[in-house]
Amino acid sequence: MAVLDSPESIGTSTTTTTTSDLKSAVRRRQSANGFKAEPDSFSEAESLGSGKDRIGGGGGPAESGSGMIDGNDGGGGGSEKVGNGGVEGTGKLAYRPSAPAHWRIKESPLSSDAIFKQSHAGLFNLCIVVLVAVNSRLIIENLMKYGLLISSGFWFSSRSLRDWPLFMCCLTLPIFPLAAFMAEKLVQRNYICESVVITLHIIITTAAVLYPVFVILRCDSAVQSGVTLMFFACIVWLKLVSYAHTNYDERMLAKSVVKGESLSSSLNPEYPHNVSFKSLAYFMVAPTLCFQPSYPRTDHIRKGWVVRQLIKLIVFTGLMGFIIEQYINPIVRNSQHPLKGNLLYAIERVLKLSVPNLYVWLCMFYCFFHLWLNILAELLRFGDREFYKDWWNAKTIEEVELCPFAYWRMWNMPVHKWMVRHLYFPCIRNGIPKGVAVVIAFLISAIFHELCIAVPCHIFKFWAFIGIMLQVPLVMVTKYLQDKFRNSMVGNMIFWCFFCILGQPMCVLLYYHDVMNRKVNAK
């Protein structure tokens, strides 16, 4: 048997030199033991039977790639075939005891340098199994303690009959798009000037929001009904702003063509052909907030696919209602005001509420952004269905690139495109710094979040507004920590903790107790 000339050199020289020395040593051993292998036959144990790295895969009496090994190793005659990592013949291992087991530098799989270079599907499956087991126990424990709490009153109650003014207000919202269309027709036919049509659009869009606010505040309606009406009113406002802004830009482009200025081939300067009631009607029901005369369309409607998505929508909506009635409501009712009670007790309530609240939030995202918007797009043959991106991988809440938001640009693509098209870039073109434009975008978002929650609750404590605006300093914190630790996952962990685990449950508790206090004071 041959002996390594310099075994102490392993691990002290570079990886290339070490590998070369080990291969030379193995070749000398193989010669001494009667192996007939080519110079590159050395391999790791896990690469046995794979191409040119098989032991004996090229020389000797064996065929190329057969991996036959002569039997003159002192263990008897015959031969051993090694194919695809298996051993045939006498059953002896083809990996020699004298072959080096360590021949290159490797990191542990869970080390920081190697953890993201491999699949973690097994750990993901383990997390799913543990999640199912833990939540199954919680479901059984909750049912044993409270019984089945969900009832028909969650979906429909006698109080819902008193919400007819809100329902009528929702049915009259199409008046505002019709008024915007009439304004565009008047300016197209030169009946009014540019300044007048801008004034009309400002009045129309403002009324589209203030009218539902007035109706909700005058009626003692259910919170769910008020939130639904304000949600539709905000959508109408965003669509009308896009409609007015796009048509204004089309008029400017048409004037530029008349003046002989060159335009990009992607722009459409034929403004008079764009003002049609059909395009506006399609836009108002399409799953987008950005107006354009035409959209990419699919060829046909997949009816079977729509039915399957509707079934999923019903199932996940029911699951969301079950979690709210069975878990969130008892936790909230048994809690104190988080800002007026014991601090440790408030933290315990927030953490206990965070898990079911996160489940409801994820169900809401899946039901609305994935199921409902895709169903609507399929029925309207709307082609662009990028309603969200991988927001769960967001590393920061803000990222000034093409867009000022990392999380927000992936979580809600329709709003993101509206913000970029009608707010962020117009601010940049008018000389406003990027940082100020980001703050303005957060400000608009905070105002509408407050309207959608505070108006139906009849409470103006500005909790939602403060929660959105607090993300501005959180942006700076995440960027600082990410730069300091040079790890993109730091920002992702901060995002999950502050936005989903702490922020939303805290807002739920604050609004619930404020609503309850308002009702008690009213009595």
Side-chain angles (χ1 to χ4, degrees):
M1 294 285 290
V3 182
L4 283 173
D5 293 338
S6 55
E8 67 276 4
S9 64
I10 300 177
T12 61
S13 61
T14 62
T15 305
T16 304
T17 305
T18 304
T19 305
S20 177
D21 293 342
L22 291 174
K23 288 184 177 181
S24 300
V26 171
R27 285 197 297 271
R28 288 195 297 272
R29 287 175 176 171
Q30 291 170 345
S31 299
N33 289 327
F35 279 93
K36 296 180 180 179
E38 291 201 349
D40 290 335
S41 63
F42 177 78
S43 66
E44 295 181 88
E46 62 265 25
S47 63
L48 288 173
S50 59
K52 68 177 183 179
D53 289 332
R54 292 191 189 120
I55 297 179
E63 296 180 1
S64 176
S66 64
M68 294 186 67
I69 303 175
D70 289 347
N72 57 353
D73 57 351
S79 63
E80 299 175 41
K81 290 185 179 180
V82 182
N84 296 327
V87 181
E88 297 179 8
T90 61
K92 295 183 179 180
L93 293 176
Y95 193 72
R96 303 289 302 180
S98 58
H102 310 283
W103 62 284
R104 65 187 177 96
I105 298 173
K106 289 184 178 180
E107 293 286 346
S108 297
L110 295 180
S111 64
S112 58
D113 293 334
I115 190 170
F116 296 114
K117 298 179 181 178
Q118 55 193 319
S119 173
H120 297 88
L123 291 177
F124 179 77
N125 292 336
L126 173 63
C127 292
I128 295 298
V129 171
V130 172
L131 192 67
V132 171
V134 171
N135 285 277
S136 299
R137 184 193 67 81
L138 292 176
I139 291 173
I140 295 173
E141 180 182 355
N142 182 273
L143 291 175
M144 294 173 61
K145 184 176 181 180
Y146 297 105
L148 188 62
L149 298 178
I150 193 168
S151 61
S152 59
F154 177 80
W155 307 104
F156 180 81
S157 64
S158 59
R159 187 177 181 182
S160 301
L161 297 175
R162 295 186 297 175
D163 295 339
W164 66 267
L166 276 65
F167 180 69
M168 296 303 297
C169 178
C170 187
L171 292 180
T172 55
L173 286 179
I175 294 176
F176 301 102
L178 181 61
F181 172 73
M182 296 301 297
E184 288 296 325
K185 273 296 184 181
L186 291 174
V187 72
Q188 177 193 356
R189 298 177 181 179
N190 296 321
Y191 291 153
I192 58 177
C193 63
E194 196 68 43
S195 58
V196 174
V197 72
I198 292 175
T199 304
L200 287 176
H201 279 304
I202 293 175
I203 295 173
I204 293 169
T205 53
T206 304
V209 173
L210 294 184
Y211 169 53
V213 170
F214 176 79
V215 174
I216 293 173
L217 293 180
R218 288 296 300 269
C219 302
D220 186 18
S221 59
V223 175
Q224 296 92 329
S225 301
V227 170
T228 303
L229 177 57
M230 284 306 306
F231 178 73
F232 282 120
C234 292
I235 290 177
V236 170
W237 187 89
L238 293 170
K239 285 177 177 283
L240 290 179
V241 170
S242 178
Y243 181 71
H245 198 181
T246 303
N247 281 313
Y248 171 80
D249 193 51
E250 290 282 353
R251 290 194 296 273
M252 296 301 104
L253 291 175
K255 292 178 181 179
S256 299
V257 171
V258 172
K259 294 178 181 179
E261 299 178 7
S262 60
L263 297 174
S264 172
S265 59
S266 62
L267 299 176
N268 179 20
E270 299 179 359
Y271 162 71
H273 300 288
N274 296 337
V275 183
S276 68
F277 183 77
K278 182 179 179 180
S279 63
L280 174 61
Y282 183 86
F283 167 62
M284 293 306 298
V285 295
T288 180
L289 299 175
C290 294
F291 173 75
Q292 59 192 58
S294 61
Y295 297 92
R297 305 287 294 276
T298 57
D299 296 331
H300 60 281
I301 299 175
R302 298 171 292 176
K303 297 179 181 179
W305 183 89
V306 172
V307 172
R308 290 193 298 271
Q309 303 309 306
L310 283 173
I311 294 174
K312 291 180 184 178
L313 182 62
I314 295 172
V315 170
F316 278 93
T317 303
L319 177 62
M320 185 165 53
F322 173 77
I323 296 174
I324 292 174
E325 284 287 288
Q326 197 72 30
Y327 294 94
I328 293 182
N329 285 348
I331 295 173
V332 172
R333 282 196 295 263
N334 296 330
S335 65
Q336 300 175 357
H337 196 286
L339 301 181
K340 298 179 181 179
N342 182 273
L343 178 61
L344 290 179
Y345 179 82
I347 294 175
E348 187 271 338
R349 290 288 96 179
V350 169
L351 293 178
K352 188 173 183 178
L353 185 61
S354 63
V355 176
N357 183 82
L358 179 60
Y359 291 161
V360 170
W361 183 62
L362 292 175
C363 286
M364 182 274 298
F365 162 79
Y366 184 72
C367 288
F368 182 75
F369 286 98
H370 184 73
L371 295 176
W372 172 246
L373 291 183
N374 272 290
I375 291 172
L376 188 60
E378 186 69 24
L379 294 176
L380 296 173
R381 294 170 47 218
F382 187 84
D384 186 3
R385 303 182 185 183
E386 190 183 44
F387 304 120
Y388 59 90
K389 291 185 178 180
D390 57 334
W391 53 266
W392 45 88
N393 291 326
K395 301 174 180 62
T396 61
I397 296 179
E398 180 266 355
E399 180 179 324
V400 179
E401 229 177 88
L402 263 181
C403 150
F405 329 101
Y407 163 71
W408 292 110
R409 71 188 174 96
M410 297 187 290
W411 148 260
N412 190 339
M413 289 302 294
V415 172
H416 154 68
K417 292 177 180 178
W418 187 94
M419 286 282 189
V420 171
R421 191 182 190 218
H422 300 292
L423 184 64
Y424 182 70
F425 278 126
C427 289
I428 299 299
R429 284 193 294 268
N430 284 276
I432 298 177
K434 288 184 178 180
V436 178
V438 170
V439 174
I440 293 174
F442 274 109
L443 181 64
I444 298 297
S445 176
I447 291 173
F448 278 96
H449 276 81
E450 183 67 24
L451 284 175
C452 288
I453 300 176
V455 172
C457 294
H458 296 255
I459 293 175
F460 294 93
K461 294 292 186 70
F462 298 100
W463 298 127
F465 181 87
I466 294 172
I468 297 297
M469 294 307 297
L470 282 178
Q471 295 181 54
V472 176
L474 187 60
V475 165
M476 296 182 282
V477 174
T478 54
K479 288 178 69 68
Y480 169 77
L481 294 177
Q482 186 170 327
D483 294 339
K484 181 178 180 179
F485 294 101
R486 299 189 180 279
N487 189 342
S488 60
M489 299 311 296
V490 173
N492 184 263
M493 294 175 63
I494 293 175
F495 156 72
W496 282 113
C497 290
F498 281 93
F499 189 78
C500 299
I501 306 302
L502 299 178
Q504 293 187 22
M506 178 65 75
C507 284
V508 170
L509 290 177
L510 288 171
Y511 275 106
Y512 173 81
H513 287 287
D514 287 338
V515 169
M516 291 297 103
N517 292 336
R518 182 185 67 85
K519 292 182 178 180
V520 170
N521 295 333
K523 293 179 181 180

